[in-house]
Amino acid sequence: MDTFADRIKILQSESERIKQYLHALPLEVLSKPSACTQWQVQDVIAHLIGVAETYANSVSRGLQGDTGPLPGRLPAGQATAALSAESIAQRSIAARKTFGDQLFATFDVANDRLNSLLAELEPEQREIPCYHPGGIVKAQNFIDLRLKELAVHEWDIRAALEPEAHVSPASIPAIMTTVSESIASGSLRWAFWSGPYLTTPIRYHFVVTGPGPSKPDVIVEGNTLRMEDAGETTARVTMRCDTETYVLLVYGRLDLEVALASGRLMIEGDRELAIAFGQWFRGI
């Protein structure tokens, strides 16, 4: 298992790599649509700034014993992708307009501030609870949360500009941690968009080539979901894919039918129920 120092090193190297990539983007692509619905490329960058500022403020307050919600935010544990999508989009677009030609400079400052704050956490500070709209989070968990944000939104930018975009392999372990452990944004609980109430539970089993979720079964029941270990209960649908495909599916970046048609995803069981999986994961 990676140590705290290992995770910090990955965060710093991924941050620097992505910073260099963003700075090298031609100015004309900033106003192009990204793969993230409603957002231009520059809006995605503004969102990453906002996330860095929010995380840094949450950790700073947590170290002072304050786990209350940040101004204008819901209490911890009450936010989800479905509830937050519109407000996050509006904040990101408004921030981008405010930043103007200081977009990249502001990104650098916010990113460096967060990374420095996390790197300087003493062992006894790493377990301190901090606010996040999705739930109370240990200070050190913001490393994985930030890596998830950087990796997924880098993909949002690259997918709109490059024919073959990929999620950064270096960030995959952090993403799978957030998916499986339900630590705020990035978890399946956060990413789930509830639909019509289900009177009969549906169990999906994932067989993932490469690093997979620690709990491979997803059960949608009523208007909620949970993750479980694979047990004796037979899944109604089994899905087989690689790790990147799994990540893009549960974060709403890859249409399930497109994944099936391209061969990235194989299913066993009820095809109609397999297609229905996509309605609960639409991204943010």
Side-chain angles (χ1 to χ4, degrees), residues 68-104:
L70 298 177
R73 302 300 179 92
L74 292 172
Q78 293 191 15
T80 65
L83 289 174
S84 305
E86 186 60 33
S87 62
I88 290 175
Q90 290 177 358
R91 281 199 303 270
S92 299
I93 294 169
R96 177 260 296 175
K97 293 177 180 178
T98 299
F99 296 143
D101 61 4
Q102 294 301 303
L103 181 69
F104 293 113

PDB file of all heavy atoms in Angstrom, residues 68-104:
ATOM      1  N   GLY A  68     -17.855  22.784  10.101  1.00  0.00           N
ATOM      2  CA  GLY A  68     -19.104  23.339   9.590  1.00  0.00           C
ATOM      3  C   GLY A  68     -19.032  23.602   8.102  1.00  0.00           C
ATOM      4  O   GLY A  68     -17.950  23.686   7.510  1.00  0.00           O
ATOM      5  N   PRO A  69     -20.180  23.743   7.445  1.00  0.00           N
ATOM      6  CA  PRO A  69     -20.197  23.974   6.000  1.00  0.00           C
ATOM      7  C   PRO A  69     -19.556  25.301   5.629  1.00  0.00           C
ATOM      8  O   PRO A  69     -19.650  26.283   6.368  1.00  0.00           O
ATOM      9  CB  PRO A  69     -21.688  23.958   5.645  1.00  0.00           C
ATOM     10  CG  PRO A  69     -22.397  24.246   6.927  1.00  0.00           C
ATOM     11  CD  PRO A  69     -21.543  23.681   8.013  1.00  0.00           C
ATOM     12  N   LEU A  70     -18.893  25.309   4.478  1.00  0.00           N
ATOM     13  CA  LEU A  70     -18.354  26.550   3.952  1.00  0.00           C
ATOM     14  C   LEU A  70     -19.512  27.467   3.549  1.00  0.00           C
ATOM     15  O   LEU A  70     -20.622  26.991   3.281  1.00  0.00           O
ATOM     16  CB  LEU A  70     -17.463  26.255   2.743  1.00  0.00           C
ATOM     17  CG  LEU A  70     -16.224  25.401   2.997  1.00  0.00           C
ATOM     18  CD1 LEU A  70     -15.488  25.127   1.692  1.00  0.00           C
ATOM     19  CD2 LEU A  70     -15.291  26.074   3.993  1.00  0.00           C
ATOM     20  N   PRO A  71     -19.291  28.771   3.481  1.00  0.00           N
ATOM     21  CA  PRO A  71     -20.372  29.696   3.110  1.00  0.00           C
ATOM     22  C   PRO A  71     -21.044  29.308   1.800  1.00  0.00           C
ATOM     23  O   PRO A  71     -20.374  29.030   0.801  1.00  0.00           O
ATOM     24  CB  PRO A  71     -19.643  31.039   2.987  1.00  0.00           C
ATOM     25  CG  PRO A  71     -18.463  30.911   3.901  1.00  0.00           C
ATOM     26  CD  PRO A  71     -18.036  29.473   3.795  1.00  0.00           C
ATOM     27  N   GLY A  72     -22.358  29.240   1.826  1.00  0.00           N
ATOM     28  CA  GLY A  72     -23.116  28.933   0.627  1.00  0.00           C
ATOM     29  C   GLY A  72     -23.193  27.469   0.270  1.00  0.00           C
ATOM     30  O   GLY A  72     -23.768  27.119  -0.770  1.00  0.00           O
ATOM     31  N   ARG A  73     -22.652  26.595   1.114  1.00  0.00           N
ATOM     32  CA  ARG A  73     -22.649  25.162   0.824  1.00  0.00           C
ATOM     33  C   ARG A  73     -23.598  24.411   1.752  1.00  0.00           C
ATOM     34  O   ARG A  73     -23.886  24.859   2.868  1.00  0.00           O
ATOM     35  CB  ARG A  73     -21.242  24.587   0.963  1.00  0.00           C
ATOM     36  CG  ARG A  73     -20.212  25.258   0.056  1.00  0.00           C
ATOM     37  CD  ARG A  73     -20.563  25.115  -1.416  1.00  0.00           C
ATOM     38  NE  ARG A  73     -19.599  25.771  -2.275  1.00  0.00           N
ATOM     39  CZ  ARG A  73     -18.526  25.161  -2.793  1.00  0.00           C
ATOM     40  NH1 ARG A  73     -18.275  23.894  -2.514  1.00  0.00           N
ATOM     41  NH2 ARG A  73     -17.703  25.831  -3.579  1.00  0.00           N
ATOM     42  N   LEU A  74     -24.045  23.243   1.285  1.00  0.00           N
ATOM     43  CA  LEU A  74     -24.917  22.400   2.091  1.00  0.00           C
ATOM     44  C   LEU A  74     -24.137  21.782   3.240  1.00  0.00           C
ATOM     45  O   LEU A  74     -22.921  21.624   3.165  1.00  0.00           O
ATOM     46  CB  LEU A  74     -25.505  21.281   1.216  1.00  0.00           C
ATOM     47  CG  LEU A  74     -26.500  21.690   0.132  1.00  0.00           C
ATOM     48  CD1 LEU A  74     -26.816  20.490  -0.760  1.00  0.00           C
ATOM     49  CD2 LEU A  74     -27.779  22.225   0.764  1.00  0.00           C
ATOM     50  N   PRO A  75     -24.813  21.400   4.309  1.00  0.00           N
ATOM     51  CA  PRO A  75     -24.139  20.673   5.389  1.00  0.00           C
ATOM     52  C   PRO A  75     -23.493  19.395   4.861  1.00  0.00           C
ATOM     53  O   PRO A  75     -23.941  18.822   3.856  1.00  0.00           O
ATOM     54  CB  PRO A  75     -25.280  20.359   6.369  1.00  0.00           C
ATOM     55  CG  PRO A  75     -26.303  21.423   6.120  1.00  0.00           C
ATOM     56  CD  PRO A  75     -26.230  21.694   4.639  1.00  0.00           C
ATOM     57  N   ALA A  76     -22.451  18.947   5.526  1.00  0.00           N
ATOM     58  CA  ALA A  76     -21.727  17.753   5.097  1.00  0.00           C
ATOM     59  C   ALA A  76     -22.670  16.559   4.981  1.00  0.00           C
ATOM     60  O   ALA A  76     -23.496  16.322   5.857  1.00  0.00           O
ATOM     61  CB  ALA A  76     -20.617  17.435   6.091  1.00  0.00           C
ATOM     62  N   GLY A  77     -22.539  15.829   3.876  1.00  0.00           N
ATOM     63  CA  GLY A  77     -23.326  14.624   3.669  1.00  0.00           C
ATOM     64  C   GLY A  77     -24.628  14.830   2.930  1.00  0.00           C
ATOM     65  O   GLY A  77     -25.291  13.854   2.560  1.00  0.00           O
ATOM     66  N   GLN A  78     -24.998  16.081   2.667  1.00  0.00           N
ATOM     67  CA  GLN A  78     -26.283  16.336   2.013  1.00  0.00           C
ATOM     68  C   GLN A  78     -26.175  16.548   0.508  1.00  0.00           C
ATOM     69  O   GLN A  78     -27.179  16.544  -0.193  1.00  0.00           O
ATOM     70  CB  GLN A  78     -26.971  17.534   2.660  1.00  0.00           C
ATOM     71  CG  GLN A  78     -27.415  17.293   4.083  1.00  0.00           C
ATOM     72  CD  GLN A  78     -28.318  18.399   4.609  1.00  0.00           C
ATOM     73  OE1 GLN A  78     -28.843  19.223   3.847  1.00  0.00           O
ATOM     74  NE2 GLN A  78     -28.511  18.421   5.915  1.00  0.00           N
ATOM     75  N   ALA A  79     -24.968  16.739   0.004  1.00  0.00           N
ATOM     76  CA  ALA A  79     -24.805  17.026  -1.424  1.00  0.00           C
ATOM     77  C   ALA A  79     -24.527  15.751  -2.213  1.00  0.00           C
ATOM     78  O   ALA A  79     -23.913  14.807  -1.720  1.00  0.00           O
ATOM     79  CB  ALA A  79     -23.670  18.012  -1.637  1.00  0.00           C
ATOM     80  N   THR A  80     -24.995  15.731  -3.440  1.00  0.00           N
ATOM     81  CA  THR A  80     -24.707  14.662  -4.402  1.00  0.00           C
ATOM     82  C   THR A  80     -24.481  15.311  -5.761  1.00  0.00           C
ATOM     83  O   THR A  80     -24.726  16.503  -5.933  1.00  0.00           O
ATOM     84  CB  THR A  80     -25.875  13.657  -4.512  1.00  0.00           C
ATOM     85  OG1 THR A  80     -27.024  14.349  -5.053  1.00  0.00           O
ATOM     86  CG2 THR A  80     -26.225  13.051  -3.158  1.00  0.00           C
ATOM     87  N   ALA A  81     -24.039  14.499  -6.725  1.00  0.00           N
ATOM     88  CA  ALA A  81     -23.862  15.030  -8.074  1.00  0.00           C
ATOM     89  C   ALA A  81     -25.178  15.582  -8.620  1.00  0.00           C
ATOM     90  O   ALA A  81     -25.212  16.637  -9.244  1.00  0.00           O
ATOM     91  CB  ALA A  81     -23.321  13.942  -8.992  1.00  0.00           C
ATOM     92  N   ALA A  82     -26.266  14.859  -8.380  1.00  0.00           N
ATOM     93  CA  ALA A  82     -27.562  15.281  -8.907  1.00  0.00           C
ATOM     94  C   ALA A  82     -27.988  16.616  -8.327  1.00  0.00           C
ATOM     95  O   ALA A  82     -28.498  17.497  -9.032  1.00  0.00           O
ATOM     96  CB  ALA A  82     -28.616  14.213  -8.612  1.00  0.00           C
ATOM     97  N   LEU A  83     -27.774  16.809  -7.016  1.00  0.00           N
ATOM     98  CA  LEU A  83     -28.181  18.053  -6.369  1.00  0.00           C
ATOM     99  C   LEU A  83     -27.234  19.205  -6.682  1.00  0.00           C
ATOM    100  O   LEU A  83     -27.634  20.366  -6.680  1.00  0.00           O
ATOM    101  CB  LEU A  83     -28.235  17.850  -4.855  1.00  0.00           C
ATOM    102  CG  LEU A  83     -29.368  16.976  -4.314  1.00  0.00           C
ATOM    103  CD1 LEU A  83     -29.181  16.756  -2.810  1.00  0.00           C
ATOM    104  CD2 LEU A  83     -30.722  17.608  -4.597  1.00  0.00           C
ATOM    105  N   SER A  84     -25.977  18.871  -6.959  1.00  0.00           N
ATOM    106  CA  SER A  84     -24.947  19.904  -7.069  1.00  0.00           C
ATOM    107  C   SER A  84     -24.601  20.305  -8.489  1.00  0.00           C
ATOM    108  O   SER A  84     -23.936  21.325  -8.697  1.00  0.00           O
ATOM    109  CB  SER A  84     -23.665  19.422  -6.367  1.00  0.00           C
ATOM    110  OG  SER A  84     -23.925  19.063  -5.033  1.00  0.00           O
ATOM    111  N   ALA A  85     -24.989  19.506  -9.472  1.00  0.00           N
ATOM    112  CA  ALA A  85     -24.512  19.708 -10.839  1.00  0.00           C
ATOM    113  C   ALA A  85     -24.753  21.121 -11.354  1.00  0.00           C
ATOM    114  O   ALA A  85     -23.845  21.775 -11.870  1.00  0.00           O
ATOM    115  CB  ALA A  85     -25.153  18.684 -11.774  1.00  0.00           C
ATOM    116  N   GLU A  86     -25.976  21.613 -11.199  1.00  0.00           N
ATOM    117  CA  GLU A  86     -26.312  22.911 -11.771  1.00  0.00           C
ATOM    118  C   GLU A  86     -25.563  24.040 -11.057  1.00  0.00           C
ATOM    119  O   GLU A  86     -25.027  24.951 -11.706  1.00  0.00           O
ATOM    120  CB  GLU A  86     -27.815  23.140 -11.700  1.00  0.00           C
ATOM    121  CG  GLU A  86     -28.285  24.414 -12.413  1.00  0.00           C
ATOM    122  CD  GLU A  86     -27.951  24.417 -13.901  1.00  0.00           C
ATOM    123  OE1 GLU A  86     -27.956  23.339 -14.528  1.00  0.00           O
ATOM    124  OE2 GLU A  86     -27.660  25.520 -14.434  1.00  0.00           O
ATOM    125  N   SER A  87     -25.514  23.986  -9.730  1.00  0.00           N
ATOM    126  CA  SER A  87     -24.838  25.053  -8.993  1.00  0.00           C
ATOM    127  C   SER A  87     -23.339  25.038  -9.254  1.00  0.00           C
ATOM    128  O   SER A  87     -22.706  26.098  -9.353  1.00  0.00           O
ATOM    129  CB  SER A  87     -25.118  24.924  -7.491  1.00  0.00           C
ATOM    130  OG  SER A  87     -24.610  23.710  -6.974  1.00  0.00           O
ATOM    131  N   ILE A  88     -22.743  23.852  -9.371  1.00  0.00           N
ATOM    132  CA  ILE A  88     -21.313  23.760  -9.670  1.00  0.00           C
ATOM    133  C   ILE A  88     -21.025  24.341 -11.047  1.00  0.00           C
ATOM    134  O   ILE A  88     -20.059  25.080 -11.245  1.00  0.00           O
ATOM    135  CB  ILE A  88     -20.820  22.304  -9.575  1.00  0.00           C
ATOM    136  CG1 ILE A  88     -20.818  21.843  -8.111  1.00  0.00           C
ATOM    137  CG2 ILE A  88     -19.419  22.169 -10.171  1.00  0.00           C
ATOM    138  CD1 ILE A  88     -20.459  20.394  -7.935  1.00  0.00           C
ATOM    139  N   ALA A  89     -21.888  24.019 -12.024  1.00  0.00           N
ATOM    140  CA  ALA A  89     -21.701  24.548 -13.373  1.00  0.00           C
ATOM    141  C   ALA A  89     -21.779  26.071 -13.370  1.00  0.00           C
ATOM    142  O   ALA A  89     -20.939  26.755 -13.976  1.00  0.00           O
ATOM    143  CB  ALA A  89     -22.747  23.960 -14.312  1.00  0.00           C
ATOM    144  N   GLN A  90     -22.770  26.612 -12.681  1.00  0.00           N
ATOM    145  CA  GLN A  90     -22.935  28.066 -12.650  1.00  0.00           C
ATOM    146  C   GLN A  90     -21.750  28.743 -11.970  1.00  0.00           C
ATOM    147  O   GLN A  90     -21.260  29.784 -12.438  1.00  0.00           O
ATOM    148  CB  GLN A  90     -24.237  28.413 -11.939  1.00  0.00           C
ATOM    149  CG  GLN A  90     -25.494  28.044 -12.713  1.00  0.00           C
ATOM    150  CD  GLN A  90     -26.778  28.328 -11.945  1.00  0.00           C
ATOM    151  OE1 GLN A  90     -26.744  28.779 -10.800  1.00  0.00           O
ATOM    152  NE2 GLN A  90     -27.903  28.049 -12.558  1.00  0.00           N
ATOM    153  N   ARG A  91     -21.284  28.173 -10.856  1.00  0.00           N
ATOM    154  CA  ARG A  91     -20.141  28.755 -10.161  1.00  0.00           C
ATOM    155  C   ARG A  91     -18.894  28.737 -11.032  1.00  0.00           C
ATOM    156  O   ARG A  91     -18.112  29.700 -11.061  1.00  0.00           O
ATOM    157  CB  ARG A  91     -19.857  27.999  -8.856  1.00  0.00           C
ATOM    158  CG  ARG A  91     -20.758  28.365  -7.702  1.00  0.00           C
ATOM    159  CD  ARG A  91     -20.151  27.944  -6.375  1.00  0.00           C
ATOM    160  NE  ARG A  91     -19.864  26.519  -6.315  1.00  0.00           N
ATOM    161  CZ  ARG A  91     -20.718  25.608  -5.892  1.00  0.00           C
ATOM    162  NH1 ARG A  91     -21.935  25.966  -5.512  1.00  0.00           N
ATOM    163  NH2 ARG A  91     -20.373  24.344  -5.838  1.00  0.00           N
ATOM    164  N   SER A  92     -18.682  27.632 -11.756  1.00  0.00           N
ATOM    165  CA  SER A  92     -17.477  27.493 -12.574  1.00  0.00           C
ATOM    166  C   SER A  92     -17.482  28.483 -13.731  1.00  0.00           C
ATOM    167  O   SER A  92     -16.463  29.119 -14.031  1.00  0.00           O
ATOM    168  CB  SER A  92     -17.365  26.059 -13.099  1.00  0.00           C
ATOM    169  OG  SER A  92     -17.275  25.140 -12.031  1.00  0.00           O
ATOM    170  N   ILE A  93     -18.629  28.634 -14.380  1.00  0.00           N
ATOM    171  CA  ILE A  93     -18.726  29.561 -15.508  1.00  0.00           C
ATOM    172  C   ILE A  93     -18.556  31.000 -15.029  1.00  0.00           C
ATOM    173  O   ILE A  93     -17.847  31.803 -15.654  1.00  0.00           O
ATOM    174  CB  ILE A  93     -20.067  29.362 -16.242  1.00  0.00           C
ATOM    175  CG1 ILE A  93     -20.106  27.971 -16.897  1.00  0.00           C
ATOM    176  CG2 ILE A  93     -20.290  30.456 -17.277  1.00  0.00           C
ATOM    177  CD1 ILE A  93     -21.479  27.576 -17.426  1.00  0.00           C
ATOM    178  N   ALA A  94     -19.190  31.328 -13.905  1.00  0.00           N
ATOM    179  CA  ALA A  94     -19.060  32.680 -13.360  1.00  0.00           C
ATOM    180  C   ALA A  94     -17.621  32.963 -12.947  1.00  0.00           C
ATOM    181  O   ALA A  94     -17.096  34.065 -13.184  1.00  0.00           O
ATOM    182  CB  ALA A  94     -20.000  32.851 -12.167  1.00  0.00           C
ATOM    183  N   ALA A  95     -16.961  31.977 -12.357  1.00  0.00           N
ATOM    184  CA  ALA A  95     -15.572  32.167 -11.926  1.00  0.00           C
ATOM    185  C   ALA A  95     -14.664  32.379 -13.122  1.00  0.00           C
ATOM    186  O   ALA A  95     -13.785  33.250 -13.105  1.00  0.00           O
ATOM    187  CB  ALA A  95     -15.114  30.964 -11.117  1.00  0.00           C
ATOM    188  N   ARG A  96     -14.886  31.609 -14.173  1.00  0.00           N
ATOM    189  CA  ARG A  96     -14.056  31.754 -15.385  1.00  0.00           C
ATOM    190  C   ARG A  96     -14.151  33.170 -15.939  1.00  0.00           C
ATOM    191  O   ARG A  96     -13.149  33.768 -16.348  1.00  0.00           O
ATOM    192  CB  ARG A  96     -14.500  30.730 -16.430  1.00  0.00           C
ATOM    193  CG  ARG A  96     -13.762  30.828 -17.756  1.00  0.00           C
ATOM    194  CD  ARG A  96     -14.586  31.562 -18.813  1.00  0.00           C
ATOM    195  NE  ARG A  96     -15.794  30.847 -19.125  1.00  0.00           N
ATOM    196  CZ  ARG A  96     -16.720  31.321 -19.938  1.00  0.00           C
ATOM    197  NH1 ARG A  96     -16.602  32.545 -20.451  1.00  0.00           N
ATOM    198  NH2 ARG A  96     -17.820  30.625 -20.211  1.00  0.00           N
ATOM    199  N   LYS A  97     -15.343  33.723 -15.933  1.00  0.00           N
ATOM    200  CA  LYS A  97     -15.514  35.092 -16.431  1.00  0.00           C
ATOM    201  C   LYS A  97     -14.780  36.085 -15.536  1.00  0.00           C
ATOM    202  O   LYS A  97     -14.232  37.075 -16.023  1.00  0.00           O
ATOM    203  CB  LYS A  97     -17.006  35.424 -16.505  1.00  0.00           C
ATOM    204  CG  LYS A  97     -17.759  34.598 -17.553  1.00  0.00           C
ATOM    205  CD  LYS A  97     -19.252  34.917 -17.540  1.00  0.00           C
ATOM    206  CE  LYS A  97     -19.993  34.084 -18.585  1.00  0.00           C
ATOM    207  NZ  LYS A  97     -21.457  34.339 -18.552  1.00  0.00           N
ATOM    208  N   THR A  98     -14.768  35.811 -14.251  1.00  0.00           N
ATOM    209  CA  THR A  98     -14.082  36.696 -13.311  1.00  0.00           C
ATOM    210  C   THR A  98     -12.566  36.617 -13.466  1.00  0.00           C
ATOM    211  O   THR A  98     -11.867  37.632 -13.430  1.00  0.00           O
ATOM    212  CB  THR A  98     -14.471  36.337 -11.863  1.00  0.00           C
ATOM    213  OG1 THR A  98     -15.887  36.503 -11.699  1.00  0.00           O
ATOM    214  CG2 THR A  98     -13.739  37.233 -10.867  1.00  0.00           C
ATOM    215  N   PHE A  99     -12.051  35.405 -13.663  1.00  0.00           N
ATOM    216  CA  PHE A  99     -10.602  35.218 -13.777  1.00  0.00           C
ATOM    217  C   PHE A  99     -10.038  35.891 -15.024  1.00  0.00           C
ATOM    218  O   PHE A  99      -8.935  36.430 -15.005  1.00  0.00           O
ATOM    219  CB  PHE A  99     -10.247  33.727 -13.809  1.00  0.00           C
ATOM    220  CG  PHE A  99     -10.583  32.981 -12.555  1.00  0.00           C
ATOM    221  CD1 PHE A  99     -11.051  31.679 -12.613  1.00  0.00           C
ATOM    222  CD2 PHE A  99     -10.433  33.572 -11.307  1.00  0.00           C
ATOM    223  CE1 PHE A  99     -11.365  30.980 -11.462  1.00  0.00           C
ATOM    224  CE2 PHE A  99     -10.742  32.878 -10.145  1.00  0.00           C
ATOM    225  CZ  PHE A  99     -11.212  31.577 -10.220  1.00  0.00           C
ATOM    226  N   GLY A 100     -10.783  35.855 -16.122  1.00  0.00           N
ATOM    227  CA  GLY A 100     -10.307  36.466 -17.363  1.00  0.00           C
ATOM    228  C   GLY A 100      -8.958  35.924 -17.771  1.00  0.00           C
ATOM    229  O   GLY A 100      -8.753  34.711 -17.808  1.00  0.00           O
ATOM    230  N   ASP A 101      -8.013  36.840 -18.064  1.00  0.00           N
ATOM    231  CA  ASP A 101      -6.702  36.383 -18.524  1.00  0.00           C
ATOM    232  C   ASP A 101      -5.798  35.921 -17.380  1.00  0.00           C
ATOM    233  O   ASP A 101      -4.637  35.571 -17.607  1.00  0.00           O
ATOM    234  CB  ASP A 101      -6.008  37.480 -19.335  1.00  0.00           C
ATOM    235  CG  ASP A 101      -5.758  38.752 -18.541  1.00  0.00           C
ATOM    236  OD1 ASP A 101      -6.048  38.770 -17.319  1.00  0.00           O
ATOM    237  OD2 ASP A 101      -5.277  39.737 -19.137  1.00  0.00           O
ATOM    238  N   GLN A 102      -6.328  35.895 -16.153  1.00  0.00           N
ATOM    239  CA  GLN A 102      -5.570  35.373 -15.003  1.00  0.00           C
ATOM    240  C   GLN A 102      -5.944  33.927 -14.684  1.00  0.00           C
ATOM    241  O   GLN A 102      -5.615  33.425 -13.607  1.00  0.00           O
ATOM    242  CB  GLN A 102      -5.830  36.258 -13.779  1.00  0.00           C
ATOM    243  CG  GLN A 102      -5.301  37.676 -13.914  1.00  0.00           C
ATOM    244  CD  GLN A 102      -3.796  37.686 -14.151  1.00  0.00           C
ATOM    245  OE1 GLN A 102      -3.034  37.157 -13.356  1.00  0.00           O
ATOM    246  NE2 GLN A 102      -3.380  38.294 -15.269  1.00  0.00           N
ATOM    247  N   LEU A 103      -6.623  33.275 -15.618  1.00  0.00           N
ATOM    248  CA  LEU A 103      -7.103  31.908 -15.389  1.00  0.00           C
ATOM    249  C   LEU A 103      -5.958  30.966 -15.010  1.00  0.00           C
ATOM    250  O   LEU A 103      -6.028  30.265 -13.991  1.00  0.00           O
ATOM    251  CB  LEU A 103      -7.814  31.391 -16.643  1.00  0.00           C
ATOM    252  CG  LEU A 103      -8.390  29.972 -16.558  1.00  0.00           C
ATOM    253  CD1 LEU A 103      -9.582  29.938 -15.605  1.00  0.00           C
ATOM    254  CD2 LEU A 103      -8.827  29.493 -17.957  1.00  0.00           C
ATOM    255  N   PHE A 104      -4.899  30.951 -15.804  1.00  0.00           N
ATOM    256  CA  PHE A 104      -3.808  30.010 -15.554  1.00  0.00           C
ATOM    257  C   PHE A 104      -3.007  30.399 -14.314  1.00  0.00           C
ATOM    258  O   PHE A 104      -2.591  29.534 -13.538  1.00  0.00           O
ATOM    259  CB  PHE A 104      -2.894  29.920 -16.774  1.00  0.00           C
ATOM    260  CG  PHE A 104      -3.561  29.295 -17.962  1.00  0.00           C
ATOM    261  CD1 PHE A 104      -3.826  30.032 -19.102  1.00  0.00           C
ATOM    262  CD2 PHE A 104      -3.939  27.963 -17.936  1.00  0.00           C
ATOM    263  CE1 PHE A 104      -4.450  29.464 -20.191  1.00  0.00           C
ATOM    264  CE2 PHE A 104      -4.562  27.377 -19.017  1.00  0.00           C
ATOM    265  CZ  PHE A 104      -4.826  28.122 -20.152  1.00  0.00           C
TER     266      PHE A 104
END
